[in-house]
Amino acid sequence: METSQLPLPVGRDGGGMRIAIVGFQHETNSFSPGVTTAEAFGTPFGWPRLSRGEELLERLPGTAVPSAGALAALQAAGGTPVPIFWAIALPSAPVDHAAFEGYRDEILDGLRAALPLDGVFLELHGAMATTEEEDAEGAIIAAVRDLVGPDLPIVVSLDLHTNLTQRMVSCADFLDAYRTYPHVDMSETGARAMRRLISFVNGAPRPAAAFREVPFLLPLTAQATGAEPVCRLYRAAQEAGGDGRDVTLTLGFPLADIASAGPAIAAYAPDAATAEALAEAQLALWTAAEAEFAAPILPPAEAIAAARAVPPGPGPVVLADVQDNPGGGGTNDTTGLLQAMVDAGLDGALLVHIADAEAVAAARAAGPGAEIDVDLGGRSDPETGAPVPGPWRVCRLGDGRFTGQGPMYSGNAIDMGRVVLLERNGVQVIVAAGRMQASEPALIRHLGIEPAELPFLAVKSSVHFRGAYQEMAREILHVDAPGRVTMDLTRLPYRRALRPPAGTRRNSGQDTEKS
Ligand SMILES: [Zn+2]
Protein backbone atom coordinates (compact mmCIF):
# COMPACT_ATOMS: atom_id res chain seq x y z
CA MET A 1 0.00 0.00 0.00
CA GLU A 2 2.98 2.29 0.56
CA THR A 3 3.44 2.30 -3.22
CA SER A 4 0.54 4.77 -3.47
CA GLN A 5 2.67 7.29 -1.67
CA LEU A 6 5.33 7.35 -4.41
CA PRO A 7 5.67 10.62 -6.33
CA LEU A 8 3.61 10.53 -9.53
CA PRO A 9 5.79 10.15 -12.64
CA VAL A 10 3.66 12.43 -14.80
CA GLY A 11 4.63 15.42 -16.88
CA ARG A 12 2.28 18.39 -17.26
CA ASP A 13 1.38 17.21 -20.77
CA GLY A 14 -0.10 14.07 -19.21
CA GLY A 15 2.15 11.81 -21.24
CA GLY A 16 2.45 8.33 -19.83
CA MET A 17 -0.16 8.76 -17.13
CA ARG A 18 -1.52 5.43 -15.92
CA ILE A 19 -5.28 5.48 -15.32
CA ALA A 20 -7.17 2.49 -13.91
CA ILE A 21 -10.45 1.67 -15.69
CA VAL A 22 -13.18 0.00 -13.62
CA GLY A 23 -16.86 -0.57 -14.41
CA PHE A 24 -19.47 -2.21 -12.14
CA GLN A 25 -23.14 -1.43 -12.74
CA HIS A 26 -26.45 -2.56 -11.32
CA GLU A 27 -29.74 -0.74 -10.81
CA THR A 28 -31.56 -2.39 -7.92
CA ASN A 29 -35.37 -2.62 -7.72
CA SER A 30 -36.32 -3.50 -4.15
CA PHE A 31 -39.78 -4.58 -5.35
CA SER A 32 -38.50 -7.11 -7.93
CA PRO A 33 -38.79 -10.74 -6.84
CA GLY A 34 -35.74 -12.78 -5.81
CA VAL A 35 -32.06 -11.91 -5.45
CA THR A 36 -29.54 -10.89 -8.13
CA THR A 37 -26.76 -13.47 -8.23
CA ALA A 38 -23.12 -13.27 -9.34
CA GLU A 39 -24.14 -15.14 -12.51
CA ALA A 40 -26.53 -12.32 -13.51
CA PHE A 41 -23.46 -10.19 -14.27
CA GLY A 42 -22.39 -12.80 -16.80
CA THR A 43 -25.49 -12.56 -19.04
CA PRO A 44 -26.42 -8.89 -19.48
CA PHE A 45 -28.53 -9.11 -22.66
CA GLY A 46 -27.76 -6.13 -24.85
CA TRP A 47 -24.61 -5.07 -22.96
CA PRO A 48 -20.95 -6.09 -23.23
CA ARG A 49 -19.97 -9.23 -21.33
CA LEU A 50 -18.17 -9.30 -17.99
CA SER A 51 -14.57 -8.43 -18.84
CA ARG A 52 -11.29 -8.62 -16.98
CA GLY A 53 -7.97 -6.93 -17.74
CA GLU A 54 -7.16 -6.67 -21.43
CA GLU A 55 -10.66 -7.97 -22.33
CA LEU A 56 -11.98 -4.46 -21.57
CA LEU A 57 -9.85 -3.06 -24.39
CA GLU A 58 -11.19 -5.68 -26.81
CA ARG A 59 -14.89 -5.46 -25.93
CA LEU A 60 -15.73 -1.92 -24.82
CA PRO A 61 -14.35 0.49 -27.49
CA GLY A 62 -17.05 1.37 -30.02
CA THR A 63 -19.92 0.56 -27.64
CA ALA A 64 -22.15 3.15 -25.95
CA VAL A 65 -20.98 2.52 -22.36
CA PRO A 66 -19.15 5.23 -20.34
CA SER A 67 -15.84 3.35 -20.27
CA ALA A 68 -15.79 3.40 -24.09
CA GLY A 69 -15.85 7.21 -24.04
CA ALA A 70 -13.36 7.30 -21.19
CA LEU A 71 -10.90 5.07 -23.04
CA ALA A 72 -11.15 7.24 -26.16
CA ALA A 73 -10.57 10.41 -24.13
CA LEU A 74 -7.58 8.87 -22.40
CA GLN A 75 -6.11 7.73 -25.69
CA ALA A 76 -6.58 11.24 -27.12
CA ALA A 77 -4.57 12.61 -24.16
CA GLY A 78 -1.77 10.11 -24.73
CA GLY A 79 -2.43 8.31 -21.44
CA THR A 80 -2.18 4.62 -20.71
CA PRO A 81 -5.29 2.69 -19.64
CA VAL A 82 -4.84 0.11 -16.91
CA PRO A 83 -7.95 -2.04 -17.48
CA ILE A 84 -9.10 -3.79 -14.30
CA PHE A 85 -12.71 -5.05 -14.44
CA TRP A 86 -16.04 -4.25 -16.10
CA ALA A 87 -19.44 -5.84 -15.52
CA ILE A 88 -23.11 -4.96 -15.67
CA ALA A 89 -26.27 -6.88 -14.78
CA LEU A 90 -29.78 -6.05 -15.91
CA PRO A 91 -31.81 -4.11 -13.36
CA SER A 92 -33.37 -6.54 -10.89
CA ALA A 93 -33.74 -7.43 -7.22
CA PRO A 94 -31.08 -6.57 -4.59
CA VAL A 95 -27.65 -8.04 -5.31
CA ASP A 96 -26.60 -11.01 -3.20
CA HIS A 97 -24.14 -9.42 -0.78
CA ALA A 98 -21.56 -12.19 -1.10
CA ALA A 99 -21.64 -11.75 -4.89
CA PHE A 100 -21.13 -8.00 -4.45
CA GLU A 101 -18.20 -8.58 -2.10
CA GLY A 102 -16.63 -11.00 -4.55
CA TYR A 103 -16.65 -8.48 -7.42
CA ARG A 104 -15.68 -5.59 -5.12
CA ASP A 105 -12.68 -7.53 -3.85
CA GLU A 106 -11.71 -8.45 -7.40
CA ILE A 107 -11.72 -4.73 -8.26
CA LEU A 108 -9.67 -3.83 -5.16
CA ASP A 109 -7.18 -6.64 -5.77
CA GLY A 110 -6.79 -5.49 -9.38
CA LEU A 111 -6.19 -1.89 -8.33
CA ARG A 112 -3.71 -2.94 -5.64
CA ALA A 113 -1.73 -4.98 -8.15
CA ALA A 114 -1.75 -2.06 -10.62
CA LEU A 115 -0.24 0.51 -8.23
CA PRO A 116 1.36 2.96 -8.64
CA LEU A 117 -1.38 4.68 -10.63
CA ASP A 118 -1.98 8.32 -11.56
CA GLY A 119 -5.76 8.17 -11.26
CA VAL A 120 -8.81 5.91 -10.99
CA PHE A 121 -11.80 6.07 -13.34
CA LEU A 122 -14.91 4.33 -11.99
CA GLU A 123 -17.99 3.64 -14.12
CA LEU A 124 -20.74 2.93 -11.57
CA HIS A 125 -24.51 3.03 -11.77
CA GLY A 126 -25.35 4.76 -8.52
CA ALA A 127 -28.48 2.76 -7.63
CA MET A 128 -26.98 -0.59 -6.67
CA ALA A 129 -28.15 -2.01 -3.36
CA THR A 130 -27.21 -5.39 -1.96
CA THR A 131 -29.02 -7.62 0.48
CA GLU A 132 -26.95 -5.96 3.21
CA GLU A 133 -25.67 -2.62 1.85
CA GLU A 134 -28.07 0.10 0.62
CA ASP A 135 -25.35 2.38 -0.73
CA ALA A 136 -23.23 -0.09 -2.68
CA GLU A 137 -21.53 2.59 -4.80
CA GLY A 138 -20.68 4.62 -1.70
CA ALA A 139 -19.12 1.48 -0.26
CA ILE A 140 -17.08 0.86 -3.42
CA ILE A 141 -15.82 4.44 -3.73
CA ALA A 142 -14.93 4.51 -0.02
CA ALA A 143 -13.04 1.21 -0.34
CA VAL A 144 -11.12 2.47 -3.38
CA ARG A 145 -10.30 5.68 -1.52
CA ASP A 146 -9.02 3.67 1.45
CA LEU A 147 -6.84 1.65 -0.89
CA VAL A 148 -5.29 4.46 -2.93
CA GLY A 149 -5.05 7.09 -0.21
CA PRO A 150 -6.33 10.68 -0.03
CA ASP A 151 -4.20 12.15 -2.82
CA LEU A 152 -4.80 9.95 -5.86
CA PRO A 153 -7.64 11.44 -7.97
CA ILE A 154 -10.82 9.36 -8.28
CA VAL A 155 -13.51 10.43 -10.76
CA VAL A 156 -16.79 8.55 -11.15
CA SER A 157 -19.22 8.33 -14.07
CA LEU A 158 -22.79 7.68 -12.83
CA ASP A 159 -26.19 6.90 -14.30
CA LEU A 160 -28.87 9.62 -14.25
CA HIS A 161 -30.88 7.31 -11.94
CA THR A 162 -28.28 7.42 -9.17
CA ASN A 163 -29.57 7.58 -5.60
CA LEU A 164 -26.78 9.92 -4.56
CA THR A 165 -25.28 9.87 -1.05
CA GLN A 166 -23.00 12.12 0.96
CA ARG A 167 -20.50 9.26 1.14
CA MET A 168 -20.27 9.04 -2.66
CA VAL A 169 -19.69 12.80 -2.88
CA SER A 170 -17.14 12.83 -0.05
CA CYS A 171 -15.02 9.89 -1.23
CA ALA A 172 -14.62 10.88 -4.90
CA ASP A 173 -12.90 13.99 -6.23
CA PHE A 174 -15.65 14.49 -8.80
CA LEU A 175 -18.90 12.76 -9.76
CA ASP A 176 -20.38 13.18 -13.20
CA ALA A 177 -23.69 11.70 -14.43
CA TYR A 178 -25.66 11.18 -17.63
CA ARG A 179 -27.71 14.25 -18.51
CA THR A 180 -30.21 12.51 -20.78
CA TYR A 181 -33.10 10.07 -20.26
CA PRO A 182 -33.30 8.15 -22.56
CA HIS A 183 -29.57 7.82 -21.95
CA VAL A 184 -27.99 8.84 -25.23
CA ASP A 185 -24.88 10.37 -23.58
CA MET A 186 -23.39 7.43 -21.68
CA SER A 187 -20.14 7.35 -23.65
CA GLU A 188 -19.99 11.15 -23.67
CA THR A 189 -20.34 11.20 -19.87
CA GLY A 190 -17.48 8.73 -19.54
CA ALA A 191 -15.33 10.93 -21.78
CA ARG A 192 -16.23 14.05 -19.79
CA ALA A 193 -15.39 12.30 -16.51
CA MET A 194 -12.06 11.09 -17.92
CA ARG A 195 -11.13 14.59 -19.11
CA ARG A 196 -11.86 15.84 -15.58
CA LEU A 197 -9.64 13.10 -14.15
CA ILE A 198 -6.83 13.97 -16.56
CA SER A 199 -7.06 17.62 -15.49
CA PHE A 200 -6.59 16.56 -11.84
CA VAL A 201 -3.62 14.38 -12.77
CA ASN A 202 -2.15 17.40 -14.53
CA GLY A 203 -2.44 19.50 -11.40
CA ALA A 204 -5.84 21.19 -11.54
CA PRO A 205 -7.05 21.83 -7.97
CA ARG A 206 -9.70 19.45 -6.58
CA PRO A 207 -12.95 21.36 -6.04
CA ALA A 208 -14.94 21.68 -2.84
CA ALA A 209 -18.23 19.78 -2.98
CA ALA A 210 -21.71 20.36 -1.57
CA PHE A 211 -24.54 17.82 -1.48
CA ARG A 212 -28.30 18.39 -1.34
CA GLU A 213 -31.18 15.90 -1.43
CA VAL A 214 -34.30 16.96 -3.33
CA PRO A 215 -37.08 16.24 -0.78
CA PHE A 216 -39.36 14.13 -3.01
CA LEU A 217 -39.31 11.07 -5.28
CA LEU A 218 -39.96 11.16 -9.03
CA PRO A 219 -41.58 8.31 -11.02
CA LEU A 220 -39.52 7.27 -14.06
CA THR A 221 -42.05 8.64 -16.55
CA ALA A 222 -41.66 12.11 -14.99
CA GLN A 223 -37.88 11.98 -15.50
CA ALA A 224 -37.65 12.20 -19.31
CA THR A 225 -35.15 14.97 -19.95
CA GLY A 226 -36.95 16.11 -23.10
CA ALA A 227 -39.99 17.18 -21.03
CA GLU A 228 -40.54 20.00 -18.55
CA PRO A 229 -39.72 20.73 -15.87
CA VAL A 230 -36.72 18.34 -16.01
CA CYS A 231 -35.47 19.88 -19.27
CA ARG A 232 -35.42 23.35 -17.72
CA LEU A 233 -33.72 22.14 -14.52
CA TYR A 234 -30.88 20.52 -16.47
CA ARG A 235 -30.44 23.70 -18.49
CA ALA A 236 -30.24 25.71 -15.27
CA ALA A 237 -27.61 23.32 -13.90
CA GLN A 238 -25.45 23.80 -16.99
CA GLU A 239 -25.90 27.57 -16.98
CA ALA A 240 -24.76 27.71 -13.34
CA GLY A 241 -21.40 26.19 -14.32
CA GLY A 242 -18.18 27.88 -15.38
CA ASP A 243 -15.30 29.57 -13.51
CA GLY A 244 -14.55 26.36 -11.66
CA ARG A 245 -18.20 25.73 -10.76
CA ASP A 246 -20.06 22.57 -11.81
CA VAL A 247 -23.43 21.02 -10.96
CA THR A 248 -24.11 17.27 -11.22
CA LEU A 249 -27.79 16.31 -11.07
CA THR A 250 -29.12 12.82 -10.40
CA LEU A 251 -32.85 12.03 -10.62
CA GLY A 252 -32.88 8.94 -8.40
CA PHE A 253 -34.26 5.46 -8.89
CA PRO A 254 -37.62 5.42 -7.07
CA LEU A 255 -38.06 1.62 -7.10
CA ALA A 256 -35.26 1.37 -4.56
CA ASP A 257 -36.67 1.18 -1.05
CA ILE A 258 -33.59 2.72 0.59
CA ALA A 259 -32.98 5.79 2.70
CA SER A 260 -31.12 7.62 -0.08
CA ALA A 261 -33.74 7.11 -2.83
CA GLY A 262 -34.55 10.30 -4.72
CA PRO A 263 -33.10 13.11 -6.82
CA ALA A 264 -30.02 14.96 -5.56
CA ILE A 265 -27.50 17.64 -6.39
CA ALA A 266 -23.71 17.64 -6.15
CA ALA A 267 -22.26 21.13 -6.59
CA TYR A 268 -18.55 21.79 -7.09
CA ALA A 269 -16.70 25.07 -6.73
CA PRO A 270 -13.23 26.38 -5.84
CA ASP A 271 -14.28 26.95 -2.22
CA ALA A 272 -16.81 25.41 0.15
CA ALA A 273 -18.98 28.48 0.62
CA THR A 274 -19.48 28.89 -3.13
CA ALA A 275 -20.28 25.19 -3.52
CA GLU A 276 -22.88 25.34 -0.73
CA ALA A 277 -24.53 28.42 -2.23
CA LEU A 278 -24.56 26.83 -5.69
CA ALA A 279 -26.21 23.65 -4.35
CA GLU A 280 -28.77 25.63 -2.36
CA ALA A 281 -29.75 27.72 -5.40
CA GLN A 282 -30.25 24.60 -7.53
CA LEU A 283 -32.30 22.95 -4.78
CA ALA A 284 -34.60 25.98 -4.66
CA LEU A 285 -35.33 25.55 -8.39
CA TRP A 286 -36.29 21.90 -7.80
CA THR A 287 -38.61 22.49 -4.87
CA ALA A 288 -40.32 25.34 -6.76
CA ALA A 289 -41.00 22.93 -9.66
CA GLU A 290 -42.55 20.15 -7.54
CA ALA A 291 -46.14 20.64 -8.69
CA GLU A 292 -45.11 20.35 -12.36
CA PHE A 293 -43.93 16.72 -12.16
CA ALA A 294 -46.83 14.70 -13.55
CA ALA A 295 -47.07 11.90 -16.09
CA PRO A 296 -50.53 10.66 -17.16
CA ILE A 297 -50.99 6.88 -17.38
CA LEU A 298 -54.05 5.02 -18.81
CA PRO A 299 -55.57 1.59 -18.01
CA PRO A 300 -54.97 -0.85 -20.92
CA ALA A 301 -58.49 -0.76 -22.43
CA GLU A 302 -58.57 3.05 -22.29
CA ALA A 303 -55.09 3.26 -23.82
CA ILE A 304 -56.13 0.98 -26.70
CA ALA A 305 -59.27 3.06 -27.33
CA ALA A 306 -57.14 6.23 -27.28
CA ALA A 307 -54.63 4.63 -29.68
CA ARG A 308 -57.42 3.78 -32.14
CA ALA A 309 -58.67 7.36 -31.92
CA VAL A 310 -55.32 8.84 -33.03
CA PRO A 311 -55.72 10.18 -36.59
CA PRO A 312 -54.14 7.95 -39.24
CA GLY A 313 -50.72 8.89 -40.56
CA PRO A 314 -47.17 7.64 -40.82
CA GLY A 315 -45.58 5.91 -37.84
CA PRO A 316 -46.95 3.74 -35.06
CA VAL A 317 -48.95 4.74 -32.01
CA VAL A 318 -46.61 3.58 -29.26
CA LEU A 319 -48.26 1.93 -26.26
CA ALA A 320 -45.62 2.01 -23.55
CA ASP A 321 -46.03 -0.80 -21.00
CA VAL A 322 -44.10 1.44 -18.64
CA GLN A 323 -44.52 -0.66 -15.48
CA ASP A 324 -43.03 -3.90 -16.87
CA ASN A 325 -39.79 -2.28 -17.94
CA PRO A 326 -36.97 -4.81 -17.58
CA GLY A 327 -34.62 -1.83 -17.53
CA GLY A 328 -36.18 -0.91 -14.19
CA GLY A 329 -36.39 -4.42 -12.76
CA GLY A 330 -39.61 -5.57 -14.44
CA THR A 331 -39.98 -9.30 -15.14
CA ASN A 332 -40.58 -8.65 -18.87
CA ASP A 333 -43.44 -11.16 -18.93
CA THR A 334 -46.50 -9.45 -17.48
CA THR A 335 -49.54 -9.77 -19.70
CA GLY A 336 -51.94 -6.97 -18.76
CA LEU A 337 -51.39 -5.01 -21.96
CA LEU A 338 -50.99 -8.06 -24.22
CA GLN A 339 -54.27 -9.60 -22.98
CA ALA A 340 -56.10 -6.31 -23.56
CA MET A 341 -54.65 -6.04 -27.10
CA VAL A 342 -55.74 -9.61 -27.92
CA ASP A 343 -59.18 -9.04 -26.40
CA ALA A 344 -59.58 -5.86 -28.45
CA GLY A 345 -58.26 -7.48 -31.66
CA LEU A 346 -55.84 -4.58 -32.17
CA ASP A 347 -55.10 -5.49 -35.77
CA GLY A 348 -51.52 -5.11 -36.99
CA ALA A 349 -50.14 -4.38 -33.53
CA LEU A 350 -46.77 -5.74 -32.38
CA LEU A 351 -45.68 -6.15 -28.74
CA VAL A 352 -41.95 -6.21 -27.89
CA HIS A 353 -41.42 -8.55 -26.10
CA ILE A 354 -42.51 -11.31 -23.68
CA ALA A 355 -39.75 -13.27 -21.92
CA ASP A 356 -40.90 -16.90 -21.96
CA ALA A 357 -38.37 -19.68 -22.65
CA GLU A 358 -41.03 -22.42 -22.67
CA ALA A 359 -43.09 -20.67 -25.35
CA VAL A 360 -39.95 -20.17 -27.47
CA ALA A 361 -39.13 -23.87 -27.24
CA ALA A 362 -42.70 -24.91 -28.11
CA ALA A 363 -42.85 -22.55 -31.09
CA ARG A 364 -39.49 -23.70 -32.46
CA ALA A 365 -40.50 -27.35 -32.12
CA ALA A 366 -43.75 -26.71 -34.00
CA GLY A 367 -42.21 -24.49 -36.72
CA PRO A 368 -43.53 -21.54 -38.77
CA GLY A 369 -47.19 -21.74 -39.74
CA ALA A 370 -48.10 -24.11 -36.91
CA GLU A 371 -50.55 -23.33 -34.15
CA ILE A 372 -49.38 -23.99 -30.61
CA ASP A 373 -51.53 -24.21 -27.53
CA VAL A 374 -49.26 -22.53 -24.97
CA ASP A 375 -50.06 -20.12 -22.16
CA LEU A 376 -47.86 -17.12 -22.91
CA GLY A 377 -46.01 -15.05 -20.27
CA GLY A 378 -47.13 -14.39 -16.72
CA ARG A 379 -44.82 -17.07 -15.35
CA SER A 380 -42.34 -15.27 -13.12
CA ASP A 381 -44.56 -13.23 -10.82
CA PRO A 382 -48.14 -14.52 -10.25
CA GLU A 383 -49.06 -11.31 -8.44
CA THR A 384 -48.79 -9.35 -11.68
CA GLY A 385 -51.33 -11.38 -13.67
CA ALA A 386 -52.00 -14.64 -15.49
CA PRO A 387 -50.60 -15.95 -18.80
CA VAL A 388 -52.44 -15.24 -22.09
CA PRO A 389 -53.88 -18.58 -23.24
CA GLY A 390 -53.38 -19.94 -26.77
CA PRO A 391 -53.77 -20.95 -29.46
CA TRP A 392 -50.91 -18.89 -30.92
CA ARG A 393 -49.81 -19.07 -34.55
CA VAL A 394 -46.04 -19.29 -35.12
CA CYS A 395 -45.22 -16.57 -37.69
CA ARG A 396 -41.41 -16.43 -37.80
CA LEU A 397 -38.25 -17.63 -36.07
CA GLY A 398 -35.16 -15.48 -35.42
CA ASP A 399 -31.68 -16.26 -34.14
CA GLY A 400 -31.73 -13.27 -31.75
CA ARG A 401 -28.34 -12.04 -32.96
CA PHE A 402 -27.96 -8.49 -34.24
CA THR A 403 -25.95 -5.30 -33.78
CA GLY A 404 -27.59 -2.52 -31.79
CA GLN A 405 -28.99 0.33 -33.90
CA GLY A 406 -30.85 2.42 -31.31
CA PRO A 407 -28.96 5.08 -29.32
CA MET A 408 -28.89 3.00 -26.13
CA TYR A 409 -27.34 -0.23 -27.43
CA SER A 410 -25.67 1.31 -30.48
CA GLY A 411 -22.83 -0.81 -31.76
CA ASN A 412 -23.29 -3.55 -29.13
CA ALA A 413 -23.16 -7.12 -30.45
CA ILE A 414 -26.41 -8.48 -29.03
CA ASP A 415 -27.27 -12.17 -28.61
CA MET A 416 -30.69 -12.64 -27.01
CA GLY A 417 -30.84 -16.34 -27.81
CA ARG A 418 -33.48 -17.66 -30.20
CA VAL A 419 -36.64 -15.58 -30.57
CA VAL A 420 -40.03 -16.28 -32.15
CA LEU A 421 -42.85 -14.16 -33.52
CA LEU A 422 -46.32 -15.34 -32.47
CA GLU A 423 -49.77 -14.06 -33.48
CA ARG A 424 -53.26 -14.23 -32.06
CA ASN A 425 -56.38 -12.30 -33.08
CA GLY A 426 -54.36 -9.90 -35.27
CA VAL A 427 -51.83 -9.10 -32.53
CA GLN A 428 -48.20 -10.13 -33.01
CA VAL A 429 -45.77 -10.58 -30.13
CA ILE A 430 -42.03 -11.20 -30.08
CA VAL A 431 -41.06 -13.87 -27.54
CA ALA A 432 -37.52 -14.50 -26.26
CA ALA A 433 -36.04 -16.47 -23.40
CA GLY A 434 -34.33 -13.51 -21.74
CA ARG A 435 -35.14 -9.96 -20.71
CA MET A 436 -34.14 -6.81 -22.59
CA GLN A 437 -35.67 -3.34 -22.63
CA ALA A 438 -37.67 -2.57 -25.80
CA SER A 439 -35.44 0.19 -27.06
CA GLU A 440 -33.70 -1.68 -29.86
CA PRO A 441 -35.30 -1.58 -33.34
CA ALA A 442 -32.76 -4.11 -34.65
CA LEU A 443 -34.63 -6.81 -32.70
CA ILE A 444 -37.79 -6.05 -34.69
CA ARG A 445 -35.96 -5.63 -38.01
CA HIS A 446 -34.09 -8.94 -37.67
CA LEU A 447 -37.55 -10.59 -37.89
CA GLY A 448 -38.25 -8.78 -41.17
CA ILE A 449 -40.56 -6.12 -39.69
CA GLU A 450 -40.02 -2.36 -40.05
CA PRO A 451 -41.26 -0.65 -36.86
CA ALA A 452 -41.99 2.63 -38.64
CA GLU A 453 -44.57 0.83 -40.80
CA LEU A 454 -46.56 -0.66 -37.91
CA PRO A 455 -49.91 0.95 -36.92
CA PHE A 456 -49.42 0.11 -33.23
CA LEU A 457 -46.22 -0.74 -31.37
CA ALA A 458 -46.35 -1.88 -27.73
CA VAL A 459 -43.04 -1.71 -25.83
CA LYS A 460 -41.93 -2.87 -22.41
CA SER A 461 -40.02 0.27 -21.46
CA SER A 462 -40.62 3.37 -19.33
CA VAL A 463 -38.66 6.07 -21.17
CA HIS A 464 -35.69 4.51 -23.04
CA PHE A 465 -37.94 3.44 -25.94
CA ARG A 466 -38.12 7.13 -26.83
CA GLY A 467 -34.49 7.03 -27.97
CA ALA A 468 -35.44 4.63 -30.74
CA TYR A 469 -39.12 5.38 -31.43
CA GLN A 470 -40.02 8.95 -30.41
CA GLU A 471 -39.15 10.35 -33.84
CA MET A 472 -41.21 7.80 -35.77
CA ALA A 473 -44.15 7.63 -33.33
CA ARG A 474 -47.51 9.10 -34.33
CA GLU A 475 -48.39 9.31 -30.63
CA ILE A 476 -47.04 7.90 -27.35
CA LEU A 477 -49.36 6.63 -24.61
CA HIS A 478 -48.32 5.38 -21.14
CA VAL A 479 -50.22 2.24 -20.11
CA ASP A 480 -51.11 1.39 -16.50
CA ALA A 481 -50.74 -2.41 -16.78
CA PRO A 482 -49.38 -4.59 -13.93
CA GLY A 483 -45.63 -4.65 -13.37
CA ARG A 484 -42.95 -4.10 -10.76
CA VAL A 485 -41.85 -0.70 -12.06
CA THR A 486 -44.68 1.22 -10.44
CA MET A 487 -45.31 4.76 -11.68
CA ASP A 488 -47.84 5.83 -9.04
CA LEU A 489 -45.33 5.80 -6.19
CA THR A 490 -48.11 6.21 -3.61
CA ARG A 491 -48.98 2.53 -4.30
CA LEU A 492 -45.58 1.22 -3.22
CA PRO A 493 -45.15 -0.27 0.27
CA TYR A 494 -42.03 1.73 1.10
CA ARG A 495 -40.41 0.83 4.42
CA ARG A 496 -36.95 2.41 4.15
CA ALA A 497 -37.31 5.29 1.67
CA LEU A 498 -37.54 8.60 3.52
CA ARG A 499 -38.85 10.96 0.86
CA PRO A 500 -42.50 11.03 -0.30
CA PRO A 501 -43.52 11.12 -3.98
CA ALA A 502 -43.57 14.55 -5.65
CA GLY A 503 -46.83 16.36 -5.04
CA THR A 504 -47.82 14.38 -1.97
CA ARG A 505 -45.96 16.37 0.68
CA ARG A 506 -47.74 18.69 3.03
CA ASN A 507 -47.09 22.21 1.83
CA SER A 508 -45.81 20.89 -1.49
CA GLY A 509 -46.51 22.95 -4.59
CA GLN A 510 -49.84 21.21 -5.23
CA ASP A 511 -51.20 22.37 -1.89
CA THR A 512 -50.56 26.02 -2.58
CA GLU A 513 -51.84 28.49 -5.13
CA LYS A 514 -51.55 26.00 -8.02
CA SER A 515 -54.10 23.52 -6.62
ZN1 LIG B 1 -30.66 4.96 -15.88
Side-chain angles (χ1 to χ4, degrees), residues 330-385:
T331 54
N332 214 152
D333 75 339
T334 73
T335 53
L337 176 57
L338 178 62
Q339 183 71 64
M341 289 164 67
V342 169
D343 290 346
L346 192 62
D347 216 30
L350 172 70
L351 185 140
V352 186
H353 74 271
I354 294 282
D356 187 333
E358 289 181 43
V360 171
R364 294 196 67 84
E371 282 214 331
I372 55 172
D373 194 17
V374 295
D375 294 339
L376 183 59
R379 294 180 195 274
S380 47
D381 190 357
E383 288 180 34
T384 54

Side-chain angles (χ1 to χ4, degrees), residues 129-356:
T130 80
T131 48
E132 293 177 26
E133 170 59 73
E134 288 191 353
D135 176 20
E137 283 85 359
I140 291 171
I141 301 169
V144 172
R145 176 57 78 198
D146 279 351
L147 174 70
V148 303
D151 298 328
L152 195 75
I154 300 172
V155 174
V156 186
S157 160
L158 293 167
D159 193 281
L160 168 141
H161 294 112
T162 290
N163 291 315
L164 198 64
T165 65
Q166 179 68 60
R167 177 164 61 163
M168 293 162 69
V169 175
S170 300
C171 293
D173 292 291
F174 195 87
L175 305 171
D176 212 330
Y178 312 158
R179 297 169 181 168
T180 61
Y181 184 32
H183 305 329
V184 297
D185 66 336
M186 296 185 290
S187 168
E188 184 184 324
T189 301
R192 205 168 56 229
M194 178 59 79
R195 289 194 294 270
R196 177 77 56 169
L197 179 56
I198 291 168
S199 78
F200 292 150
V201 175
N202 283 334
R206 319 285 171 86
F211 172 63
R212 291 291 186 283
E213 294 178 335
V214 174
F216 48 80
L217 302 173
L218 291 181
L220 293 179
T221 42
Q223 295 187 3
T225 50
E228 298 296 3
V230 174
C231 183
R232 183 180 80 230
L233 292 164
Y234 268 89
R235 205 163 50 239
Q238 297 318 301
E239 287 169 1
D243 290 335
R245 297 188 305 269
D246 288 279
V247 176
T248 294
L249 299 178
T250 54
L251 302 189
F253 185 62
L255 290 315
D257 188 12
I258 59 175
S260 60
I265 297 156
Y268 297 94
D271 63 88
T274 306
E276 294 292 336
L278 184 57
E280 198 61 32
Q282 293 291 312
L283 178 61
L285 298 177
W286 277 80
T287 50
E290 181 174 356
E292 294 178 60
F293 293 104
I297 181 165
L298 300 168
E302 278 181 41
I304 288 167
R308 281 178 158 149
V310 175
V317 176
V318 174
L319 293 158
D321 197 355
V322 292
Q323 298 188 129
D324 189 31
N325 165 16
T331 54
N332 214 152
D333 75 339
T334 73
T335 53
L337 176 57
L338 178 62
Q339 183 71 64
M341 289 164 67
V342 169
D343 290 346
L346 192 62
D347 216 30
L350 172 70
L351 185 140
V352 186
H353 74 271
I354 294 282
D356 187 333

Side-chain angles (χ1 to χ4, degrees), residues 4 18 61 71 94 107 111 119 147 160 180 202 255 260 263 289 300 304 307 309 330 366 395 464 477 488 499 509:
S4 65
R18 285 167 42 83
L71 285 165
I107 290 166
L111 288 171
L147 174 70
L160 168 141
T180 61
N202 283 334
L255 290 315
S260 60
I304 288 167
C395 300
H464 277 305
L477 300 165
D488 178 356
R499 296 177 243 175

Side-chain angles (χ1 to χ4, degrees), residues 79 348 486 502:
T486 306

Side-chain angles (χ1 to χ4, degrees), residues 89-104:
L90 288 183
S92 50
V95 178
D96 172 63
H97 192 68
F100 165 78
E101 289 181 317
Y103 289 132
R104 179 203 62 195

